[in-house]
Amino acid sequence: MMFAPLYPHLYRVLAPMFPDCLWSAEPEQPLVCLSFDDGPHPQYTPQLLEVLEHLGVTANFFWLGAAVRRYPDVAREVFRRGHWLGLHGDTHRAFPQMRPEALQASLSATQAAIANACDRPLDWVQTHVRDVRPPNGLFTPKTLQLLHSWQYRPVMWSVVPEDWRCPGVQRVCDRIMKQVEPGSLIVLHDGSYGGQDVAQTTLTIVEQLQTKSYQFVNIQELWHLKSGLESG
């Protein structure tokens, strides 16, 4: 069963219920945030990086610790090019299925892998890489409570085109263009599921969005937009 038609409705229900997560923002300008889960991947991520470099777009990568350890050179290149980094758990295991100590260890292991791959001090990574997207978007109020208590920032999504099912580049792009609006947070995948199309999808969707005057921001800028709106 495809859930793609349900995600826009799910987002609109969940976002106001869990306002301490980053789902999207409401900027005055046409800004959008482009993010990628499940990497790094030895083939798909380098292809994606070349497309992003060609387009002059900064993106956001939510990494699996196991993949970072397996492909440190790819992770280092993503970091070197200035993209924003986040955590996706160590092995893509659903957070609600994990005991608190196991979840905390999973996130810490991912930070340690990033520190090693990107040649940064661990305390720097612990300070600067603290955005967390739960695998498959699965969380509970307890999950969020734990993340906040450990000084992590939960990041979700507003546009989920279900690219991991590989429905084809055109269908993924059509889904995005139908749902996107200023402040949207788009989720794509550069891992084993969906990654084979991610470079072409990104090229197509960025060009389409740029024709509509969209500019691309990172997760930190989206947090600022969200907090500015809430305090305004």
Side-chain angles (χ1 to χ4, degrees):
M1 177 180 179
M2 290 195 306
F3 293 94
L6 302 180
Y7 283 116
H9 305 289
L10 189 62
Y11 153 66
R12 297 193 184 283
V13 170
L14 292 177
M17 291 177 62
F18 300 99
D20 291 336
C21 303
L22 180 64
W23 299 87
S24 62
E26 297 182 15
E28 296 180 359
Q29 304 298 322
L31 305 174
V32 68
C33 192
L34 188 60
S35 64
F36 300 92
D37 290 1
D38 295 357
H41 187 278
Q43 178 182 354
Y44 306 143
T45 304
Q47 293 172 352
L48 173 61
L49 287 177
E50 291 307 305
V51 168
L52 293 171
E53 185 85 9
H54 169 72
L55 296 168
V57 168
T58 299
N60 308 268
F61 290 81
F62 288 85
W63 278 343
L64 298 172
V68 175
R69 288 191 296 275
R70 194 172 296 123
Y71 309 113
D73 292 345
V74 181
R76 187 178 306 114
E77 186 61 17
V78 174
F79 175 72
R80 187 190 70 80
R81 297 194 187 202
H83 298 288
W84 190 260
L85 305 183
L87 311 173
H88 201 43
D90 198 51
T91 61
H92 211 273
R93 185 179 175 189
F95 287 178
Q97 296 177 354
M98 304 172 71
R99 297 176 62 86
E101 57 269 24
L103 174 56
Q104 188 173 30
S106 173
L107 297 172
S108 296
T110 306
Q111 287 178 317
I114 292 171
N116 184 63
C118 300
D119 195 25
R120 300 297 296 176
L122 180 58
D123 59 351
W124 185 93
V125 174
Q126 291 170 335
T127 299
H128 291 84
V129 185
R130 56 194 184 94
D131 291 306
V132 177
R133 175 175 285 148
N136 299 318
L138 297 177
F139 66 93
T140 65
K142 177 63 174 179
T143 305
L144 300 183
Q145 180 185 1
L146 290 170
L147 293 177
H148 285 300
S149 71
W150 298 328
Q151 307 303 309
Y152 292 113
R153 305 190 300 186
V155 175
M156 302 304 174
W157 32 258
S158 63
V159 179
V160 188
E162 217 172 29
D163 63 315
W164 64 87
R165 291 184 179 272
C166 302
V169 171
Q170 190 58 54
R171 180 168 291 185
V172 170
C173 293
D174 288 345
R175 290 171 178 171
I176 293 173
M177 295 305 297
K178 183 177 179 179
Q179 299 175 35
V180 74
E181 57 188 14
S184 287
L185 177 46
I186 302 169
V187 178
L188 293 169
H189 295 77
D190 63 324
S192 297
Y193 296 95
Q196 56 264 50
D197 289 337
V198 72
Q200 184 59 50
T201 297
T202 300
L203 177 63
T204 303
I205 198 62
V206 169
E207 289 179 341
Q208 289 182 9
L209 289 170
Q210 286 178 336
T211 64
K212 296 181 177 294
S213 300
Y214 273 93
Q215 298 181 18
F216 293 83
V217 298
N218 66 23
I219 292 292
Q220 181 69 7
E221 292 170 297
L222 208 64
W223 274 114
H224 284 320
L225 289 168
K226 179 178 183 293
S227 61
L229 180 68
E230 291 175 348
S231 62

